[in-house]
Amino acid sequence: MSDTVAFDVVDGIAWVRFNRPDKRNCMSPTLNRRMMEVLDELEYRQDVGVLVLSGEGTAWSAGMDLKEYFRETEAKGLGATRQAQREAYGWWRRLRWYQKPTIAMVNGWCFGGGYGPLYACDLAIASEEAKFGLSEINWGILPGGGATKVVVDLIPLRDAMYHALTGEAIDGRKAAEWRLVNEAVPADQLKDRVTALAKVLLEKNPVALKATKDAVRRVKEMTYDNAEDYLVRAQEAANSYDNDGRKEGIRQFIDEKSYKPGLGAYKR
Ligand code: ACO
């Protein structure tokens, strides 16, 4: 079970990898259980500031495991099906609200259920050659596990509808054009680009990062007035974890004149 997810921590970055390359990193119940354990283990570690999710081999993740997640689980009855869903959706939810900022480094195939963790990551950088598809329609189901919600949230409705109904895969460039990912880069530059982005995040105040990433997701479904109120309260709650950071940020700019907030982060 421990082999289904690989990870190491280097210079503040937790590199977590789907690790079933022979099965194109499709998500089995075993992998889903293991991923939750790995997320648990890494979330509050002092030496982890950013988590990157990628895949071993040619795939990021080929979605749910059609044999182990669907066929074998369904054969065990409704209870087993619901449990498998809870385990998959559970770690994606955990990742959506993770303590540390997260980046999906999409190195290859990303299908169906893979859109759950893709959306859960705060940022996403893809290889230009990566392939994204809502392939559910190709084998006869609707895009579940949140995948329909993911595309409607992230991309324009016409593109979402086309993507879901045709099951045609798009490459990383198109995924960036549709805003399914932040950007696409040539495969040989993918890790460097993600590392550079992670380093930018590592320079920021971690309490502010968590408050900001949650705020961006939360306010999307709020009215303006509710969002305004939520943001006041979220900042005040953040102050209870770190009451000095922002004061120091102001001090270094106004008194010390050692940096400019418009151009970079204060020194922590
Ligand atoms: N579920 C179960 N097994 C899978 C999956 C999957 N989602 N994806 C790949 N595999 C297995 C294959 O059965 C094969 O196993 P085997 O070696 O025991 O025969 C192995 O992984 C390698 O797969 P290939 O198809 O040979 O690899 P290839 O590189 O040629 O193709 C591709 C890769 C395009 C990703 C292909 O494997 C594929 O179409 N996979 C299914 C993608 C998909 O539709 N996923 C489900 C989305 S819907 C959902 O998640 C709810």
Side-chain angles (χ1 to χ4, degrees), residues 13 15 49-50 52 103 193-203:
I13 306 170
W15 297 92
V50 174
V52 176
I103 305 171
R193 176 64 188 116
V194 169
T195 304
L197 178 57
K199 282 186 176 163
V200 170
L201 299 174
L202 287 170
E203 287 175 3

Side-chain angles (χ1 to χ4, degrees), residues 193-252:
R193 176 64 188 116
V194 169
T195 304
L197 178 57
K199 282 186 176 163
V200 170
L201 299 174
L202 287 170
E203 287 175 3
K204 313 295 185 198
N205 178 318
V207 172
L209 280 174
K210 169 66 171 155
T212 301
K213 56 177 266 178
D214 286 4
V216 169
R217 286 189 193 269
R218 292 281 184 211
V219 301
K220 196 162 193 297
E221 294 179 1
M222 291 182 191
T223 62
Y224 192 94
D225 283 340
N226 284 346
E228 201 177 62
D229 190 51
Y230 166 85
L231 293 168
V232 166
R233 278 155 227 299
Q235 182 58 50
E236 288 172 359
N239 295 347
S240 71
Y241 287 101
D242 175 15
N243 201 22
D244 298 326
R246 70 195 189 289
K247 294 177 188 166
E248 180 60 15
I250 294 173
R251 191 190 70 74
Q252 288 180 20

Side-chain angles (χ1 to χ4, degrees), residues 21-24 26-27 58-59 62-68 70 109 111-114 133 135-136 139 141-142 144:
D22 293 350
K23 298 288 179 185
R24 304 302 180 260
C26 63
M27 289 175 271
T58 56
M64 309 319 291
D65 187 319
L66 268 54
K67 178 168 167 284
E68 293 185 38
F70 284 106
W109 307 110
F111 286 108
S135 53
E136 285 88 339
W139 65 277
I141 68 164
L142 62 76

Side-chain angles (χ1 to χ4, degrees), residues 41-194:
E41 179 175 335
L42 294 170
E43 188 162 20
Y44 294 99
R45 265 175 60 164
Q46 293 293 328
D47 60 344
V48 173
V50 174
L51 184 145
V52 176
L53 182 60
S54 70
E56 286 287 353
T58 56
W60 193 67
S61 172
M64 309 319 291
D65 187 319
L66 268 54
K67 178 168 167 284
E68 293 185 38
Y69 179 85
F70 284 106
R71 190 165 66 190
E72 291 176 6
T73 303
E74 280 168 16
K76 292 181 195 153
L78 184 61
T81 299
R82 291 285 179 264
Q83 182 181 335
Q85 288 165 340
R86 275 198 304 276
E87 287 167 349
Y89 305 169
W91 78 259
W92 305 343
R93 186 179 310 114
R94 183 67 178 278
L95 198 57
R96 280 201 301 283
W97 303 104
Y98 209 58
Q99 182 68 28
K100 312 289 168 66
T102 56
I103 305 171
M105 182 169 89
V106 186
N107 52 298
W109 307 110
C110 176
F111 286 108
Y115 283 38
L118 176 70
Y119 180 67
C121 289
D122 302 318
L123 299 165
I125 310 289
S127 157
E128 288 175 346
E129 292 77 34
K131 283 276 190 301
F132 297 79
L134 286 183
S135 53
E136 285 88 339
I137 199 72
N138 290 338
W139 65 277
I141 68 164
L142 62 76
T148 298
K149 173 70 173 157
V150 171
V151 291
V152 169
D153 248 23
L154 293 182
I155 73 183
L157 189 70
R158 287 284 179 219
D159 294 328
M161 191 67 90
Y162 188 94
H163 201 49
L165 290 181
T166 66
E168 280 175 23
I170 57 170
D171 67 12
R173 290 184 198 88
K174 191 70 161 179
E177 191 185 309
W178 279 1
R179 314 308 297 145
L180 196 54
V181 298
N182 291 91
E183 57 187 81
V185 297
D188 62 358
Q189 293 168 29
L190 183 61
K191 190 161 186 193
D192 285 350
R193 176 64 188 116
V194 169

